[in-house]
Amino acid sequence: MTLRLGAHVDSTDPLAEAAALGIGAVQIFLGDPQSWKKPTTLVEGGAPALRAAAEGAGVGVVVHAPYALNVASTNNRIRIPSRKLLQQTVTEAAAVGALGVVVHGGHVTQSEDPAVGFANWRKAVDGLDLPIPIFIENTAGGTNAMTRELEAIDRLWSALESSPNAARVGFCLDTCHAHAAGLDLDGLVGRVRGITGRVDVVHCNDSRDLAGSGADRHTNLGQGLIDGDLLAGVVRDAATITLLETPGGVPERAADLAWLQSAV
């Protein structure tokens, strides 16, 4: 992939927002991100209509999986529905013609052995039908999170590397999450690539909170506590699809894009 700037946009008419912003990539949800219901494309005409329109407009689509998903969980009532929902999301995203599906790394509880969570991820990946890749995203907080610390990401990738589906598993690097986790953004892309071999998507977000706070609170670029040069450096180093998940509508996102274009 090459550098392409975009943003998370409204799921009912994503291409209208893409046109208003002049961007070549969008991220959308398929339905309610807080729901366990089967994902569905909210654009009028469904997945075929969005696929045709996006291809015609030259806009790449990335789908974000529901937030409820946690395939690492030791709780059967969470893990098993999570696997099902992730597969449903991938299947619908493929029908949309999406480039891939972003999914959070998840966690086990504080009293549990993280090794079980990594093993559960491996089982989930082994069982997926992946016509398009998944991009596992780093997370901001949690003592036993699967993708907060670089050491945990390394353990996860070690668990996944011999899976038959390993080549279909990529990485999404969120700058706010990394900052919240206390990771140094300077050179972070290289360190992540040293572990995963790839960074497929960047979520470029500033942070309202201090480094290491564990707080996942995005803010607009240049208005938070992440050094602007570090944000721009992540985007330059990754040289891939970069998506804003910053607050506000078209005017605020347009300002963020202008900031990023000038910085990069």
Side-chain angles (χ1 to χ4, degrees):
M1 295 182 182
T2 56
L3 178 59
R4 188 192 303 186
L5 300 183
H8 190 100
V9 299
D10 177 73
S11 299
T12 59
D13 197 359
L15 297 184
E17 195 162 337
L21 290 168
I23 53 179
V26 295
Q27 179 178 272
I28 61 171
F29 291 120
L30 298 174
D32 182 353
Q34 304 290 352
S35 173
W36 289 93
K37 292 182 180 179
K38 183 178 180 180
T40 183
T41 306
L42 301 180
V43 173
E44 184 176 354
L50 178 54
R51 181 172 193 149
E55 289 175 352
V59 174
V61 177
V62 174
V63 167
H64 199 302
Y67 294 134
L69 281 175
N70 183 8
V71 300
S73 177
T74 62
N75 185 335
N76 289 344
R77 295 184 178 182
I78 297 174
R79 185 182 67 259
I80 294 172
S82 291
R83 290 182 184 177
K84 179 179 179 181
L85 186 55
L86 180 55
Q87 181 64 72
Q88 290 173 333
T89 302
V90 168
T91 300
E92 183 71 5
V96 166
L99 300 170
V101 172
V102 172
V103 56
H104 287 176
H107 62 279
V108 296
T109 66
Q110 190 168 353
S111 62
E112 293 173 325
D113 184 352
V116 179
F118 300 128
N120 284 341
W121 252 113
R122 168 61 190 264
K123 293 172 186 176
V125 168
D126 283 352
L128 287 171
D129 175 23
L130 293 173
I132 59 173
I134 58 171
F135 307 133
I136 304 177
E137 182 178 355
N138 63 305
T139 52
T143 302
N144 280 339
M146 300 291 99
T147 55
R148 179 185 183 184
E149 306 289 348
L150 291 178
E151 180 184 2
I153 296 170
D154 191 17
R155 292 182 67 185
L156 176 58
W157 247 255
S158 293
L160 299 179
E161 63 184 358
S162 60
S163 171
N165 280 328
R168 306 297 279 168
V169 180
F171 194 81
C172 173
L173 176 57
D174 187 299
T175 57
C176 176
H177 296 176
H179 170 85
L183 303 182
D184 183 0
L185 268 62
D186 188 15
L188 180 59
V189 170
R191 293 193 296 278
V192 170
R193 280 191 177 135
I195 296 168
T196 66
R198 55 199 290 178
V199 173
D200 300 88
V201 175
V202 169
H203 285 168
C204 187
N205 306 301
D206 210 330
S207 173
R208 292 171 53 187
D209 296 278
L210 293 170
S213 65
D216 180 12
R217 298 201 297 174
H218 301 185
T219 194
N220 300 95
L221 306 188
Q223 298 182 26
L225 298 179
I226 302 179
D227 182 277
D229 289 340
L230 294 179
L231 281 175
V234 168
V235 174
R236 283 194 301 267
D237 291 349
T240 190
I241 294 172
T242 297
L243 302 165
L244 298 168
E245 294 179 319
T246 47
V250 169
E252 291 80 10
R253 295 287 172 83
D256 285 336
L257 286 165
W259 184 98
L260 188 55
Q261 288 165 337
S262 66
V264 173

